[in-house]
Amino acid sequence: MTSNVRALAAQVLTPLLQNKGSLNTQLPAIERRCPEKDRALLRELCYGTMRHHPQLNCIIKLLQNRAFKFRDIDIKAIVLLGLYQLQHTRIPAHAAISESVEACRDLDKEWAGKVVNAILRRFQREQEELIDSLSDNESYQFNHPEWMIAKLKNNWPDHWQQILKANNEQAPLTLRINALKTDRERYLTQLEPIVDAEKTEFSPTGIRLSTSLNIESLPGYEEGAFSVQDEAAQLSAQLLDLQAGQTVLDACAAPGGKLCHLLESEPALASVDAVELEERRAGRIEENLERLDLDANVIIADASHQEWWDGTLYDRILLDAPCSATGVIRRNPDIKYLRQGEDIHETSKLQLSILENCWSMLKPGGKLLYATCSIFPQENERQIKRFIAQTDNVTEIKIDAPWGIAREHGRQLFPQINRHDGFYYALLEKQSKLTKTATLPPLAAVKG
């Protein structure tokens, strides 16, 4: 078992480069094998390399004589990791190169050490000229895959560069205060001696920290005083307008952040069902509910089908639909590599299937909040437009709010540097017959 951090990082990235898994699924097991003192470096190497993968891959193409064979993708991972260290970290060049060569031995590919050494030393010598030669390469310039850049240009001609820039930055650490345990003012006072923090602008329960740290070390973690949740995701509870005695469905609930926020926002709900397809992810919901001392009925099932449903109609439904997750790339930088343009079409079909199924479970007069962490209209406003066009008993409640931008249907948030993620919301009300569009009262921004 190797303790070489670069070799361990290569073992995390190799499945990703073979289109298997993600950082979220591959890193935890490898992290447990890493000496505790090196775990922060391991995460930095893995996340940093995938954050800059489009640029690093452009450089590799200039440096290598032939593409790496599939069986040697682990060596490509070593080169990517080495280039990331040379270009984006303060690790001394000699250490980055020598440790990368040593990692080849730890991967039982000692022969590859010479290849890795030659590529990295050539980059070290010719870095300026190589980067100059990529000045007209948009994938290098914007650090995104070409298909994504083209799609954003087409979808958001006035915003695409802002989106790409925000995607390349690290996201802030944002907390959601559990209103059943504490309040924002009190918790900010508790944080004062530990870390600089500020209120979020649009969520009345949000606190944004100035730096990332171990959340388990913060006061009240074990007691459930807070959860980690981006500000954009915190808006869902406010939009659903929950009332005591209502029945609620969270249709795609894992990992349970929005579900727990609903329960914190209105503790007198009659019942709450949380549906999740994957047993592993459903376990995350149970863990969050337990830590926060909350209760919901967690159901492992497919939200696009009804085998699990007992026929009782819901007053409120939250549908946080499966999507490309392109609004949270800065938190999951491997999305740049793992997503392909054709994925959007398949995802949109699944979204519509779940939306139609959930709509049949909603009471007349009930509300459904459609949400995604995507910035592509195909998964968002166009999906809602299509659903409204084919559904007779639906009215859209227009969201008048100080965040995001109003669209023909719903409201779109883009990722903001040092602020919220990209997100989309649309609020629908079920009618017994077709009625005109309603308007939601303005949601006042929380200031001060």
Side-chain angles (χ1 to χ4, degrees):
M1 182 181 298
T2 181
S3 61
N4 183 298
V5 181
R6 280 78 176 174
L8 291 172
Q11 290 175 34
V12 174
L13 298 189
T14 298
L16 272 69
L17 299 177
Q18 295 172 332
N19 294 303
K20 300 173 185 175
S22 64
L23 284 174
N24 285 336
T25 59
Q26 298 298 329
L27 183 58
I30 302 296
E31 199 169 32
R32 288 192 288 271
R33 292 165 40 199
C34 182
E36 188 169 353
K37 65 181 178 64
D38 293 328
R39 287 179 183 174
L41 176 58
L42 175 66
R43 292 185 66 84
E44 162 67 13
L45 291 175
C46 292
Y47 274 84
T49 298
M50 294 313 296
R51 189 180 308 281
H52 294 279
H53 179 272
Q55 290 182 333
L56 300 175
N57 201 49
C58 288
I59 293 171
I60 280 187
K61 291 178 180 178
L62 296 178
L63 292 171
Q64 64 183 159
N65 296 322
R66 64 184 68 177
F68 289 96
K69 295 179 181 178
F70 186 80
R71 65 173 181 267
D72 295 324
I73 293 297
D74 52 350
I75 303 306
K76 181 176 182 179
I78 291 291
V79 175
L80 288 167
L81 289 158
L83 290 172
Y84 170 70
Q85 293 168 77
L86 291 174
Q87 194 174 22
H88 297 286
T89 74
R90 297 180 180 179
I91 296 170
H94 67 87
I97 295 173
S98 63
E99 289 293 324
S100 296
V101 171
E102 184 63 31
C104 296
R105 298 190 182 97
D106 288 0
L107 294 173
D108 295 324
K109 292 188 176 180
E110 188 171 353
W111 61 267
K114 293 181 179 180
V115 177
V116 170
N117 184 67
I119 291 175
L120 296 182
R121 290 199 180 279
R122 183 184 168 196
F123 175 74
Q124 192 182 13
R125 291 192 309 269
E126 304 175 19
Q127 180 173 351
E128 189 174 339
E129 301 94 306
L130 290 165
I131 292 175
D132 283 346
S133 72
L134 292 167
S135 60
D136 294 330
N137 185 314
E138 283 199 333
S139 188
Y140 184 87
Q141 182 183 355
F142 295 108
N143 193 29
H144 279 70
E146 291 178 0
W147 75 265
M148 195 176 291
I149 296 171
K151 196 171 190 66
L152 286 172
K153 281 183 177 181
N154 181 59
N155 291 160
W156 304 110
D158 297 328
H159 303 281
W160 66 276
Q161 290 196 48
Q162 168 205 327
I163 294 168
L164 294 174
K165 185 175 181 180
N167 284 351
N168 289 327
E169 300 293 324
Q170 291 196 32
L173 177 57
T174 306
L175 309 181
R176 184 192 76 241
I177 298 307
N178 182 354
L180 300 178
K181 304 277 186 177
T182 186
D183 62 63
R184 185 159 67 169
E185 294 293 346
R186 189 190 319 166
Y187 197 73
L188 278 168
T189 301
Q190 290 181 269
L191 289 177
E192 277 182 8
I194 303 170
V195 62
D196 288 337
E198 62 181 359
K199 300 175 184 177
T200 52
E201 186 177 6
F202 306 121
S203 168
T205 55
I207 292 177
R208 186 165 44 245
L209 307 187
S210 62
T211 186
S212 294
L213 40 68
N214 178 11
I215 61 164
E216 295 182 14
S217 68
L218 294 178
Y221 173 78
E222 291 294 340
E223 295 77 21
F226 69 89
S227 298
V228 174
Q229 188 179 43
D230 182 74
E231 181 183 17
Q234 293 183 34
L235 302 173
S236 58
Q238 192 178 12
L239 290 168
L240 264 176
D241 183 32
L242 298 170
Q243 306 293 328
Q246 290 179 334
T247 56
V248 178
L249 169 65
D250 186 345
C252 301
K258 298 180 190 66
L259 168 70
C260 291
H261 194 191
L262 300 183
L263 293 163
E264 293 165 5
S265 300
E266 179 47 78
L269 294 171
S271 66
V272 180
D273 290 339
V275 173
E276 171 53 42
L277 180 61
E278 298 181 32
E279 184 173 359
R280 173 184 60 85
R281 286 169 56 80
R284 291 280 309 281
I285 300 174
E286 298 280 12
E287 291 170 6
N288 284 318
L289 288 169
E290 182 177 0
R291 185 179 68 84
L292 297 170
D293 194 24
L294 298 170
D295 184 55
N297 180 31
V298 180
I299 304 167
I300 301 172
D302 187 340
S304 66
H305 294 84
Q306 296 190 356
E307 289 84 358
W308 54 271
W309 183 46
D310 67 3
T312 303
L313 296 174
Y314 296 98
D315 294 291
R316 297 287 188 269
I317 295 178
L318 171 60
L319 173 50
D320 186 7
C323 68
S324 61
T326 43
V328 293
I329 283 176
R330 56 193 188 161
R331 298 186 189 277
N332 304 278
D334 47 338
I335 288 171
K336 292 181 184 179
Y337 180 80
L338 297 173
R339 295 289 181 273
Q340 301 297 324
E342 54 269 23
D343 296 341
I344 309 301
H345 177 66
E346 291 302 314
T347 303
S348 64
K349 289 196 295 185
L350 175 60
Q351 290 173 333
L352 185 61
S353 174
I354 298 174
L355 178 54
E356 290 172 340
N357 190 51
C358 287
W359 193 251
S360 68
M361 303 177 183
L362 185 66
K363 288 181 182 178
K367 296 175 182 177
L368 181 149
L369 181 63
Y370 179 89
T372 79
C373 55
S374 169
I375 42 82
F376 288 137
Q378 294 89 334
E379 299 177 293
N380 296 338
E381 59 193 85
R382 295 182 197 171
Q383 191 72 275
I384 297 302
K385 182 176 183 177
R386 179 181 179 185
F387 179 73
I388 290 174
Q390 69 181 37
T391 308
D392 289 336
N393 59 347
V394 58
T395 295
E396 181 183 4
I397 300 176
K398 293 294 184 180
I399 301 171
D400 183 7
W403 43 259
I405 58 174
R407 307 301 298 162
E408 180 184 1
H409 299 286
R411 201 164 186 92
Q412 180 72 56
L413 299 103
F414 299 126
Q416 303 290 316
I417 296 173
N418 295 324
R419 291 295 186 269
H420 58 69
D421 290 338
F423 230 84
Y424 173 83
Y425 287 109
L427 186 60
L428 307 176
E429 186 173 38
K430 192 170 190 176
Q431 305 294 330
S432 56
K433 60 181 179 179
L434 186 63
T435 61
K436 63 181 181 180
T437 298
T439 301
L440 189 71
L443 297 174
V446 178
K447 303 284 187 181

